[in-house]
Amino acid sequence: MSQLVKQNRRKIFGLILLVIILLICMLSSLMFGIKHYALADIYNMSMFFNAQDITHIIIWKERFPRMVIAVVTGASLGMAGMISQLLTRNPLGSPSVLGINAGSIFFIVVFVVVLNVTDLNVIVYFAFLGALLAAVLVYLLGTVSNSGTTSVRIILAGIAVNAMFVSFTQIILLMNQKGMNDVLFWMAGTISGRTLDMLFAVLPFLLSALIVTCFLAGSMNIYASGESIAKGLGQNIMVMKLTLLVLMVVLAGGSLAVIGNVAFVGLIIPHLARSLVGNNYAWLTSYSIVLGSIFLLVADISTRLINPPSEIPLGVITAFLGAPFFIYVAFKGGRARV
C-alpha cells in the first residue's frame, strides 16, 4: 500500500513538473521567433496593451493564437494517438499510420478544390467525415478475415488506406493544379497563419472529446485487459470500440482541420507517457494531454528558429522526429503492452 502511495506521489509530482514545463514552453512561444521579445514585452502587452505598438500587435495577433492552437491541437493529437494504440492494441497505431490524416486531407481537397467550398465551419465537418471514413475502412479491412482481427492486420490496413487516399489526393491536384495553393494550407501542416477563429470552429468538439476520454479512463483500463476479461466484467465491447473510434476521429479530424497534415504526434506521445506512468489510463490521459501540448509547442518554436527568417513547415519537424521513432518501435518488435 505504501509503495502504491509513493508511486502515485511520483506521478503527481511528474505531472506538476510537466505542467510547469508546459507553461515555460507557452511563454517561450510568445517570446521567440524571427524577432525575439523579452519578458518585459510580454508583461507590458498583457497589462498595458497598445494597439499602436507593433510589438504588442505581433505578440497578440500572431504569437498568442499560435501558442493556443499548438496547446489544444497537441493535446488532442496526443490523446488521439493513445486511443488509436488502445483500439488497435498495437504500439505502432496512430492517426497518421491508420490513414486518418490522409482521409481528412482527401476530403478537404475534394470539397475545396472540386466543389469550391471555402467556409471553414463547413470544411471542419468534411475533415471529420474523411477521418471517420478512413477509420471505418481500416477497421473493416482489418477484420475481414476468418482468423479474426490482429494488430498487425489493422496496421497493414491503415498503411493501405493511407496510400489510397494519398493517391486520390494527388490525382485530384494533378487534374486541377490551380487549386493546389488553396489546399497547401492543410497539406503542408503548419500553425503559421492560423487564427483563433479557425480553432473556435472545432474547439467545442475537441474539448468535449478530451473530457469524455478522461472520464473513460477506468473503462479503458478494463478494455485494455483484453476483450474476454472485459466481457466478463460486464463491459459492452462493441459500444466501447465505437466510442473510442468516434473520440479518435473527433480529436484527430478536428486538429487536422486547423493545422493540417501534422503526422507522428499521436505515435510518439503515448509512448513517452507510457514510459513515465505505465499502462494506467487514469494517468496516461493526463500525461498524454500535457506531453502532446509540450511536443507541438517545441516543434512550432523550432520551425521559427532553425532557418530564420524562413519557417520550416511544422509537418516536416514532426516527421523528422517521428519517422525514426516509428522505425525504432517497429524494430523493437512492438512488444509494448497497450
Side-chain angles (χ1 to χ4, degrees):
M1 183 65 181
S2 61
Q3 183 66 26
L4 181 61
V5 171
K6 288 180 181 179
Q7 290 178 355
N8 286 336
R9 283 178 180 172
R10 291 194 195 100
K11 292 172 183 176
I12 293 172
F13 176 78
L15 185 60
I16 293 173
L17 181 61
L18 285 177
V19 170
I20 294 173
I21 294 173
L22 173 60
L23 294 175
I24 294 173
C25 291
M26 291 170 67
L27 189 60
S28 300
S29 181
L30 297 177
M31 294 173 60
F32 300 120
I34 296 175
K35 180 174 176 58
H36 301 334
Y37 297 108
L39 285 173
D41 296 320
I42 308 298
Y43 176 80
N44 289 331
M45 187 280 299
S46 304
M47 303 302 295
F48 314 105
F49 180 77
N50 182 359
Q52 305 303 318
D53 191 324
I54 188 64
T55 297
H56 292 190
I57 293 173
I58 291 175
I59 295 173
W60 178 248
K61 294 292 185 180
E62 180 181 342
R63 301 221 177 147
F64 180 75
R66 289 183 72 157
M67 181 265 289
V68 175
I69 290 171
V71 169
V72 175
T73 56
S76 300
L77 289 174
M79 192 75 94
M82 184 202 71
I83 294 173
S84 66
Q85 290 178 11
L86 173 62
L87 196 59
T88 61
R89 302 186 185 278
N90 193 307
L92 294 176
S94 73
S96 56
V97 174
L98 295 179
I100 305 299
N101 291 31
S104 289
I105 296 300
F106 170 70
F107 268 62
I108 290 173
V109 168
V110 167
F111 286 96
V112 172
V113 175
V114 179
L115 301 180
N116 295 317
V117 176
T118 58
D119 187 347
L120 178 65
N121 293 319
V122 177
I123 292 173
V124 166
Y125 294 104
F126 295 144
F128 285 148
L129 185 60
L132 179 60
L133 177 61
V136 171
L137 282 175
V138 169
Y139 188 77
L140 290 177
L141 290 173
T143 56
V144 176
S145 172
N146 293 329
S147 58
T149 305
T150 67
S151 58
V152 174
R153 190 176 293 112
I154 290 286
I155 295 299
L156 292 176
I159 293 173
V161 169
N162 182 79
M164 179 185 71
F165 278 124
V166 169
S167 299
F168 289 165
T169 301
Q170 292 174 344
I171 290 172
I172 292 175
L173 292 177
L174 285 173
M175 295 174 62
N176 190 342
Q177 294 187 8
K178 292 182 179 179
M180 186 173 293
N181 290 332
D182 296 328
V183 295
L184 283 178
F185 195 66
W186 286 277
M187 292 184 66
T190 182
I191 301 179
S192 178
R194 270 52 171 178
T195 65
L196 288 179
D197 288 339
M198 299 180 66
L199 177 65
F200 291 155
V202 300
L203 189 59
F205 301 102
L206 296 180
L207 290 181
S208 298
L210 286 171
I211 293 171
V212 170
T213 304
C214 289
F215 275 107
L216 286 176
S219 297
M220 287 191 287
N221 279 328
I222 296 173
Y223 180 77
S225 64
E227 291 190 9
S228 59
I229 296 176
K231 287 180 181 179
L233 293 174
Q235 187 174 80
N236 189 320
I237 298 300
M238 290 306 299
V239 171
M240 189 62 186
K241 285 183 178 180
L242 180 61
T243 302
L244 291 174
L245 182 66
V246 170
L247 290 172
M248 181 182 67
V249 166
V250 170
L251 290 168
S255 299
L256 294 171
V258 179
I259 64 175
N261 189 24
V262 175
F264 292 113
V265 179
L267 172 68
I268 297 173
I269 296 306
H271 285 279
L272 293 179
R274 199 171 288 112
S275 68
L276 294 173
V277 296
N279 292 291
N280 187 339
Y281 284 86
W283 291 104
L284 275 176
T285 50
S286 54
Y287 268 71
S288 294
I289 287 174
V290 180
L291 285 170
S293 297
I294 292 173
F295 181 84
L296 213 59
L297 277 170
V298 172
D300 183 50
I301 295 170
S302 300
T303 64
R304 315 173 211 171
L305 301 181
I306 291 177
N307 187 35
S310 300
E311 284 196 24
I312 298 175
L314 180 63
V316 173
I317 299 294
T318 58
F320 178 78
L321 296 173
F325 192 86
F326 181 90
I327 295 172
Y328 165 74
V329 174
F331 275 91
K332 189 178 177 182
R335 291 186 295 270
R337 189 174 73 87
V338 296

